[in-house]
Amino acid sequence: MGVIAKIALFALGISFFIFVTFFGRLPALRRTPIAWLHRLIWVHLPNGAVSLDERLTGRRVTSSCTRFFNYMMYDRHPTVLIFFLILLVGGEYFYLPTAWPQLTPLVKTTGTISILLPYLFLYLSAFSDPGTITPQNHAHEMARYPYDFSLFHPGAECATCHLLKPARSKHCSVCKRCVARADHHCIFINNCVGARNHHWFILLLLSTAVLTLYGGVLGVRLMTAEMRRRFPHWEMLPWRANGGAGMDVTDWLVVWSWGMQDGGKGTGAGVAMGAVTLLALMTSPLVWGLLGYHMWLVYCGTTTNEAMKWSDWQVEMDEGFAFRRRLDGGRTKDVKVEPAWTRWPVEAEQVLVRTEDGKPPAEGGNLPGFGEWQAVWRLRDVENLYDLGLWDNFKDVFVPGFMFRDPYVPLPEGRLRRKRKRRARKIYLA
Ligand SMILES: [Zn+2]
Ligand SMILES: [Zn+2]
């Protein structure tokens, strides 16, 4: 196997592994081979290794591995961030010496911008505060979103921070703090993604996606230009080679491998540019996929954390344990556990509960809401309070603070009604 093929296989393997790790738990991919592979890698293989170790060494290997794994997974450390930086810097170090002299001034300008932006957004998302909830900003953070009485209920206190959990917040076990509108803890930026850095994170994904695609396409163009000079009968599509007569696929591949190795003037630097081009083209779909997933979540008015919770609710609904009833949107709130008003323009009008026995909750309990309990079978029948529609959802992520409003000015009736139509089912492509 040639060097190029080895690099290609390695990059493909890494990309696929990251893909399975990131996407294997997505509700949309449940009952697909991706979810099955995710369970194999993250559940069955570790369990198998543990039982083997039990028999061989009495769990000595596992316990030291567990300590290392826990450190890697549940402590803040910049290992993956450094790996990401090495990929970026190393890729540019090997790519640019061959590519740069061949570029036009326009490509040099746009290329420089594409190279610099990921560093800028990496810095901003890694070193900015994701929205840490402190005693000082607690009242402010409580007023960010109302409780939806489905995913987030008033009165829950964080056992570590000893503060009431604001709606949409989550305690991060890695950062050891509560984070406002927590999306997820991202090991690539060694930071949480939350209300205050979500936009930087999405811009980091976008700039990295553009950089890998730009670098990959440009690298291919430089190589194929050289290949055409050396083999004038060669074409990008094998059946168009030799003036339309076609070309043997083996010969076509031989020209490619010449291009990747000697296209860069047959020097070591040329091989390096070819390898980086290949790596960029193969990782690009993964980055675009992650970007697409995060844009989709914003479109749905939800977060990674909440999508998981909705997925759990779908299971409860499938099994017939989910019930809902109406909630008075204008009710008087218990200000000990709930803010009197929030900056969000709508209020919850439903209560969602699960029961142990599949029967509606007994009357006379102290559950919020009024009227009959109804069984809920589908996500399309419940509201997602945090989905205001595409435009407002984007504003909430990219212009933090736009939702500020005077608590004493009631909302126009029409606005409230328009905002009522959004349903949780969007999350599931339903
Ligand atoms: Zn906490
Ligand atoms: Zn975190």
Side-chain angles (χ1 to χ4, degrees), residues 84-96:
F84 181 41
L85 268 177
I86 289 175
L87 271 187
L88 272 180
V89 176
E92 286 148 13
Y93 175 80
F94 286 116
Y95 182 95
L96 289 175

Side-chain angles (χ1 to χ4, degrees), residues 209-280:
V210 168
L211 176 68
T212 50
L213 187 65
Y214 194 7
V217 170
L218 197 63
V220 167
R221 289 191 58 139
L222 293 176
M223 287 188 300
T224 50
E226 204 62 36
M227 284 146 68
R228 282 212 186 84
R229 258 195 291 280
R230 176 75 171 73
F231 305 94
H233 55 280
W234 184 88
E235 276 293 336
M236 192 74 157
L237 303 169
W239 55 90
R240 289 169 115 200
N242 285 321
M247 187 177 194
D248 190 55
V249 176
T250 323
D251 293 344
W252 182 79
L253 284 172
V254 166
V255 178
W256 260 119
S257 95
W258 177 88
M260 298 206 84
Q261 292 173 48
D262 299 277
K265 319 287 187 272
T267 56
V271 181
M273 191 195 83
V276 175
T277 299
L278 200 63
L279 193 69

Side-chain angles (χ1 to χ4, degrees), residues 329-351:
R331 81 209 131 82
T332 329
K333 294 175 173 181
D334 177 3
V335 292
K336 279 201 244 48
V337 291
E338 238 187 310
W341 65 276
T342 68
R343 300 189 289 274
W344 200 240
V346 286
E347 287 285 347
E349 288 185 344
Q350 76 182 9
V351 182

Side-chain angles (χ1 to χ4, degrees), residues 280-331:
L281 282 180
M282 288 165 74
T283 47
S284 197
L286 180 76
V287 189
W288 281 104
L290 276 174
L291 174 68
Y293 175 61
H294 276 272
M295 297 302 258
W296 172 256
L297 289 179
V298 175
Y299 163 69
C300 292
T302 192
T303 61
T304 308
N305 177 41
E306 288 160 27
M308 299 291 170
K309 287 175 186 278
W310 282 122
S311 160
D312 292 343
W313 269 116
Q314 180 65 71
V315 175
E316 302 287 352
M317 288 173 189
D318 288 344
E319 290 170 354
F321 292 151
F323 292 88
R324 67 163 200 163
R325 71 174 173 182
R326 296 182 59 203
L327 183 73
D328 178 7
R331 81 209 131 82

Side-chain angles (χ1 to χ4, degrees), residues 76 130 172-177 179 184-186 191-193:
R76 263 190 105 185
C172 173
S173 56
V174 182
C175 302
K176 293 162 183 74
R177 60 184 170 185
V179 174
H184 69 294
H185 181 89
C186 176
N191 198 2
C192 263
V193 176

